[in-house]
């Protein structure tokens, strides 16, 4: 988490005004939100749209992780990655995470753990977008922790490994488990707020005389605004928990 790469000049934008840093991930979240809308419409484009949405969400995750590591007095080379390197990292991170989602879905379907096993397939998507149930929100928080631990392996000049991430999760479980639970609680608290705003958006579409373009713009603002808040809260809490775990370690 702390080892930087040898380079010193960031490839990511150098934003001098602090509050604007919160918006750095918005373009990728906008792509992810747009691809989700296309995927939910179904058809032949659904699968590639889902893949693009996941890649865009991971790239947004990387930007926020980089910023949060720096904000907690850590050092990271994530900001030095070019787009091709980021895509390569996505190819290393997403397939094993997808395997975890499939395995969890199958286990849930066979054991009847929750009423809608398909929610486990949305574990990665739920890092930034609202899940349908509380178990799904807890699951997304756990998936976010695993993704974080995989992404941070890039600072060690190693290929992201799910097994390594799981091992490190247990090494830092004293801090990461409370972090995961806090992320889940905040997601639960955000759900009714987001649901209320979603209701206003639905009413706007049904009753407002605004132009379609304005309605579409407001809908997209609603989607990626909440996605931005969720992503920053999730990554911020987990990075802080991981950082505290390192600080709490006795000196060797």
């Amino acid at each position: 988490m702390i080892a930087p790469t040898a380079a010193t000049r960031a490839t990511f934008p150098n934003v001098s005004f602090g509050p604007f840093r919160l918006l750095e991930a918005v373009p990728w979240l906008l792509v992810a939100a747009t691809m989700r809308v296309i995927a939910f419409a179904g058809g032949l484009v659904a699968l590639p749209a889902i893949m693009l949405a996941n890649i865009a969400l991971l790239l947004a995750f990387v930007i926020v992780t980089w910023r949060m590591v720096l904000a907690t007095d850590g050092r990271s080379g994530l900001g030095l990655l070019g787009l091709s390197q980021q895509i390569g990292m996505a190819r290393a991170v997403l397939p094993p995470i997808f395997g975890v989602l499939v395995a969890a879905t199958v286990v849930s379907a066979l054991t009847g753990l929750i009423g809608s096993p398909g929610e486990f397939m949305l574990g990665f998507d739920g890092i930034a977008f609202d899940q349908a149930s509380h178990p799904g929100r807890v699951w997304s928080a756990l998936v976010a922790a695993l993704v974080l631990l995989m992404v941070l392996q890039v600072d060690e000049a190693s290929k992201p490994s799910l097994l390594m991430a799981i091992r490190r999760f247990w090494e830092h479980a004293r801090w990461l488990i409370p972090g995961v639970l806090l992320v889940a609680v905040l997601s639960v608290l955000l759900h009714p707020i987001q649901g209320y705003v979603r209701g206003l958006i639905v009413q706007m579409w049904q009753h407002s005389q605004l132009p379609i373009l304005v309605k579409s713009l407001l809908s997209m603002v609603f989607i990626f605004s909440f996605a931005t808040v969720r992503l920053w809260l999730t990554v911020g809490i987990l990075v802080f928990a991981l950082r505290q775990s390192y600080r709490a370690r006795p000196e060797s």
Side-chain angles (χ1 to χ4, degrees), residues 72-88:
T72 55
D73 298 324
R75 294 192 298 171
S76 173
L78 290 174
L80 306 170
L81 299 177
L83 181 59
S84 61
Q85 294 170 305
Q86 295 175 52
I87 297 298

Side-chain angles (χ1 to χ4, degrees), residues 56 65 70 72 77 91 117 122 129 131 149 151 159 170 179 188 206 236:
T65 298
L70 298 183
T72 55
R91 293 173 60 185
L122 299 176
F129 302 101
Q131 278 273 39
L149 292 169
V151 165
K159 182 178 179 181
W170 288 115
V188 169
Q206 294 176 342

Side-chain angles (χ1 to χ4, degrees), residues 17-210:
F17 183 53
F20 285 168
R21 293 173 181 172
L22 299 174
L23 304 178
E24 288 178 330
V26 166
W28 286 120
L29 288 175
L30 181 57
V31 172
T34 302
M35 291 299 102
R36 289 174 82 250
V37 172
I38 294 174
F40 288 156
L44 295 177
V45 297
L47 182 58
I50 291 174
M51 295 173 61
L52 289 174
N54 288 339
I55 292 173
L57 178 53
L58 180 63
L59 298 185
F61 189 99
V62 170
I63 293 174
V64 175
T65 298
W66 176 57
R67 283 297 185 187
M68 290 307 307
V69 170
L70 298 183
T72 55
D73 298 324
R75 294 192 298 171
S76 173
L78 290 174
L80 306 170
L81 299 177
L83 181 59
S84 61
Q85 294 170 305
Q86 295 175 52
I87 297 298
M89 181 176 57
R91 293 173 60 185
V93 171
L94 291 177
I97 290 295
F98 179 77
V100 170
L101 302 182
V102 171
T105 301
V106 171
V107 171
S108 177
L110 294 176
T111 60
L113 289 177
I114 65 173
S116 301
E119 290 181 30
F120 283 101
M121 279 301 300
L122 299 176
F124 180 71
D125 185 82
I127 293 174
F129 302 101
D130 195 16
Q131 278 273 39
S133 71
H134 295 339
R137 295 180 186 103
V138 175
W139 173 241
S140 289
L142 178 59
V143 170
L146 294 177
V147 172
L148 174 66
L149 292 169
M150 292 183 72
V151 165
L152 290 176
Q153 291 173 35
V154 174
D155 281 329
E156 302 167 0
S158 62
K159 182 178 179 181
S161 164
L162 176 61
L163 293 179
M164 177 67 73
I166 293 173
R167 188 177 76 182
R168 290 188 174 173
F169 181 89
W170 288 115
E171 290 176 355
H172 301 279
R174 180 182 175 186
W175 285 93
L176 281 181
I177 289 178
V180 166
L181 294 177
L182 180 56
V183 168
V185 168
L186 289 178
S187 182
V188 169
L189 295 176
L190 272 174
H191 173 68
I193 300 174
Q194 188 167 352
Y196 174 76
V197 178
R198 185 184 297 111
L200 296 179
I201 295 294
V202 171
Q203 291 182 22
M204 175 194 69
W205 275 98
Q206 294 176 342
H207 306 296
S208 175
Q209 300 302 315
L210 291 172

Side-chain angles (χ1 to χ4, degrees), residues 208-247:
S208 175
Q209 300 302 315
L210 291 172
I212 295 296
L213 181 60
V214 175
K215 291 181 179 180
S216 299
L217 178 60
L218 291 175
S219 298
M220 292 306 298
V221 169
F222 157 72
I223 293 173
F224 68 71
S225 294
F226 275 95
T228 300
V229 171
R230 287 179 179 277
L231 182 59
W232 275 95
L233 286 175
T234 297
V235 176
I237 291 169
L238 294 175
V239 168
F240 178 79
L242 186 59
R243 186 67 175 155
Q244 289 301 110
S245 179
Y246 277 109
R247 286 173 174 166

